[in-house]
Amino acid sequence: MTQTPERLTKGERTRRRILHTALEIFAERGYAGVSLREVASRAGITHAGLLHYFTGKDDLLLTMMIERDRAEIEAIRSYVAAGTGPSSVEQIIVRWMIRDIARNQSRPDIAPLFVKLSTEATESGHPAYDYFRGRYIRLRETLARGFAYEFAAAEPPVEGRDPGLCAQQFIALADGLQVQWLLDPESTDMVASLLDYLGILGIDAEGWADIAVPEDRSA
Amino acid sequence: MTQTPERLTKGERTRRRILHTALEIFAERGYAGVSLREVASRAGITHAGLLHYFTGKDDLLLTMMIERDRAEIEAIRSYVAAGTGPSSVEQIIVRWMIRDIARNQSRPDIAPLFVKLSTEATESGHPAYDYFRGRYIRLRETLARGFAYEFAAAEPPVEGRDPGLCAQQFIALADGLQVQWLLDPESTDMVASLLDYLGILGIDAEGWADIAVPEDRSA
DNA sequence: GTCTATATAATGATAGAC
DNA sequence: GTCTATCATTATATAGAC
């Protein structure tokens, strides 16, 4: 389905290396505070070389975000397709997010990026404003269906809670915990906090952080 | 206790105007993405004029944050002192935060600033890293005592919940909701969401957004 | 595919006039 | 108390060599 790295052209490999590096640096220091020269340098080329692949800084940012989203969505789909039980996205999305945050807590990757960029992008006119707006809306919808499923599947079933509101709260909680965790990792257990929230709702999420999921194969 | 604006020296008035303007612009577009020239220009002076009052950009940021904190703490203290009932900070801090967010939702002010800057400052080495780290720790402690009070005061009293964990969740929720609200104000009711969370915990927070509190008198 | 060289603009900061 | 003038640095972006 996808080519193995060895069979990629040199250009394609460079392009991916740039995207990977950009993700790393933007995750560390946001968008406005990072220069193309630095991204390029850490990717082993000059900034002029980088601009051979992307028309500019905005293009790099948005390409990176969209590419990353695509990979995430594909990972979820393939997990569902190969799943041992769950046969739709809403049946695994809440667990997926828990597992995702658990993984990020032990090996930070994309989460700090999203939190930093999403706040930075809240100013209308920011190159990623539309992207993030749409992303949050879609995520909230998907997660709302996930909560509706979990409420029905819970033992006993959860009554009287609005899945949309819970989706909103869950996302907010995850984002906000990320900030506290980045500032003070020792005193912030994101997974425990999220599982506790699910517990308050009446969802027994014991062990959700440990569900087996195929790892990302991207560099 | 404080001098009236008319009696301030010209320099002091300018200094305050700069701080006020900086807060506005940093709240809009973060720290890294804003230039001193822009702050100065919107404050009606040149950037060299601004640097007469602050040693540099970092100094402006930190002075602004600390000054703002001081005003907030004083406001809480004076509310408690003049209070009709509650006689300590922990008895009103949860309600205060709800009211504060309600006010910010109708007239955005300082909240977008804190969310944007706090994420930006999560990188160690950022000029405001230490400040935000300390601020979150203090806020969490204060709020934990607040939750302990509310749990005991609830009807019926709330048992078996960790006030510290709730404080962490409440702050995370407030921060995260702010992001969603900034991106999509129509579909995000921060106050309703927070009151719902308190409701899940067993705290009846009906009307907490409307408690009367003396307004800030600062420009 | 990546480089050097360069154009152009903006930044944080300083010195010193007024 | 605020300005103009200027500096050194860095930025994004382009043109064209190799």
Side-chain angles (χ1 to χ4, degrees), chain B residues 109-179:
Chain B
D109 173 32
I110 193 187
L113 173 77
F114 272 103
V115 179
K116 264 177 213 163
L117 286 185
S118 62
T119 54
E120 205 173 333
T122 52
E123 175 72 0
S124 90
H126 189 282
Y129 175 83
D130 287 335
Y131 167 80
F132 272 107
R133 208 180 119 84
R135 187 176 196 276
Y136 271 97
I137 291 173
R138 285 194 309 275
L139 180 56
R140 210 151 53 189
E141 281 168 0
T142 305
L143 208 49
R145 282 195 295 275
F147 271 106
Y149 166 80
E150 298 295 349
F151 287 154
E155 206 55 66
V158 176
E159 307 271 349
R161 295 237 66 84
D162 175 3
L165 187 56
C166 291
Q168 183 188 70
Q169 290 173 341
F170 188 83
I171 295 167
L173 208 45
D175 285 350
L177 286 169
Q178 185 70 38
V179 176

Side-chain angles (χ1 to χ4, degrees), chain A residues 93-94 97 101 114-115 118 132 134-144 147 163-179 194 197-198, chain B residues 172-181 183 193:
Chain A
I93 187 65
V94 181
M97 283 196 68
I101 286 157
F114 271 103
V115 179
S118 63
F132 272 107
R135 187 176 194 277
Y136 271 97
I137 291 174
R138 284 195 309 276
L139 180 57
R140 209 150 55 190
E141 282 168 359
T142 304
L143 209 50
F147 270 106
L165 186 58
C166 291
Q168 184 188 71
Q169 290 173 341
F170 188 83
I171 296 167
L173 207 45
D175 285 351
L177 286 170
Q178 184 70 40
V179 176
L194 286 168
Y197 170 75
L198 294 178
Chain B
L173 208 45
D175 285 350
L177 286 169
Q178 185 70 38
V179 176
Q180 294 182 53
W181 181 76
L183 285 168
S193 213

Side-chain angles (χ1 to χ4, degrees), chain A residues 194-214:
Chain A
L194 286 168
L195 293 184
D196 181 78
Y197 170 75
L198 294 178
I200 304 175
L201 292 179
I203 297 174
D204 178 27
E206 197 71 42
W208 284 13
D210 306 316
I211 56 168
V213 156

Side-chain angles (χ1 to χ4, degrees), chain B residues 10 14 37 45-46 48 52-53:
Chain B
K10 188 182 177 193
T14 305
R37 282 178 160 83
I45 57 173
T46 64
H52 173 67
Y53 295 94

Side-chain angles (χ1 to χ4, degrees), chain B residues 35-219:
Chain B
S35 73
L36 287 182
R37 282 178 160 83
E38 196 178 349
V39 177
S41 150
R42 226 148 96 175
I45 57 173
T46 64
H47 90 285
L50 186 154
L51 288 170
H52 173 67
Y53 295 94
F54 305 93
T55 65
K57 202 185 177 187
D58 293 2
D59 183 42
L60 173 60
L61 173 67
L62 286 176
T63 306
M64 184 193 78
M65 301 303 297
I66 289 164
E67 206 115 314
R68 189 73 209 199
D69 261 4
R70 215 192 32 71
E72 180 81 4
I73 289 169
E74 197 187 315
I76 296 179
R77 290 245 170 85
S78 85
Y79 175 66
V80 170
T84 50
S87 57
S88 71
V89 173
E90 60 251 44
Q91 287 178 28
I92 60 114
I93 187 64
V94 182
R95 294 150 210 253
W96 179 279
M97 283 197 66
I98 293 285
R99 198 226 45 143
D100 201 50
I101 287 157
R103 197 187 52 179
N104 263 288
Q105 192 164 326
S106 60
R107 195 163 55 84
D109 173 32
I110 193 187
L113 173 77
F114 272 103
V115 179
K116 264 177 213 163
L117 286 185
S118 62
T119 54
E120 205 173 333
T122 52
E123 175 72 0
S124 90
H126 189 282
Y129 175 83
D130 287 335
Y131 167 80
F132 272 107
R133 208 180 119 84
R135 187 176 196 276
Y136 271 97
I137 291 173
R138 285 194 309 275
L139 180 56
R140 210 151 53 189
E141 281 168 0
T142 305
L143 208 49
R145 282 195 295 275
F147 271 106
Y149 166 80
E150 298 295 349
F151 287 154
E155 206 55 66
V158 176
E159 307 271 349
R161 295 237 66 84
D162 175 3
L165 187 56
C166 291
Q168 183 188 70
Q169 290 173 341
F170 188 83
I171 295 167
L173 208 45
D175 285 350
L177 286 169
Q178 185 70 38
V179 176
Q180 294 182 53
W181 181 76
L182 286 168
L183 285 168
D184 191 7
E186 254 100 69
S187 70
T188 311
D189 188 334
M190 295 190 280
V191 173
S193 213
L194 286 168
L195 293 184
D196 180 77
Y197 170 76
L198 294 178
I200 303 175
L201 292 179
I203 297 172
D204 179 26
E206 198 70 41
W208 283 12
D210 306 316
I211 57 169
V213 155
E215 280 293 323
D216 273 353
R217 286 165 309 274
S218 64

Side-chain angles (χ1 to χ4, degrees), chain A residues 50-206:
Chain A
L50 187 156
L51 289 170
H52 172 67
Y53 296 94
F54 304 95
T55 65
K57 202 185 176 186
D58 293 2
D59 183 40
L60 173 61
L61 172 68
L62 286 175
T63 305
M64 185 194 77
M65 302 303 297
I66 289 164
E67 206 114 313
R68 189 74 207 195
D69 260 4
R70 215 191 32 69
E72 180 82 4
I73 289 170
E74 196 187 313
I76 296 178
R77 290 244 171 87
S78 85
Y79 175 67
V80 170
T84 50
S87 57
S88 71
V89 173
E90 61 251 43
Q91 289 178 26
I92 60 114
I93 187 65
V94 181
R95 294 151 207 251
W96 178 279
M97 283 196 68
I98 293 284
R99 198 224 46 142
D100 201 51
I101 286 157
R103 199 187 51 178
N104 265 289
Q105 193 164 326
S106 59
R107 194 164 55 83
D109 172 34
I110 193 186
L113 173 77
F114 271 103
V115 179
K116 264 176 213 164
L117 286 185
S118 63
T119 54
E120 203 173 334
T122 53
E123 176 72 359
S124 88
H126 189 282
Y129 175 83
D130 287 335
Y131 167 80
F132 272 107
R133 209 180 118 84
R135 187 176 194 277
Y136 271 97
I137 291 174
R138 284 195 309 276
L139 180 57
R140 209 150 55 190
E141 282 168 359
T142 304
L143 209 50
R145 281 195 296 273
F147 270 106
Y149 166 79
E150 299 295 348
F151 287 154
E155 205 57 63
V158 176
E159 308 270 347
R161 297 235 67 83
D162 175 3
L165 186 58
C166 291
Q168 184 188 71
Q169 290 173 341
F170 188 83
I171 296 167
L173 207 45
D175 285 351
L177 286 170
Q178 184 70 40
V179 176
Q180 294 182 53
W181 181 76
L182 286 169
L183 285 168
D184 191 5
E186 254 99 70
S187 72
T188 311
D189 187 334
M190 294 190 281
V191 172
S193 213
L194 286 168
L195 293 184
D196 181 78
Y197 170 75
L198 294 178
I200 304 175
L201 292 179
I203 297 174
D204 178 27
E206 197 71 42

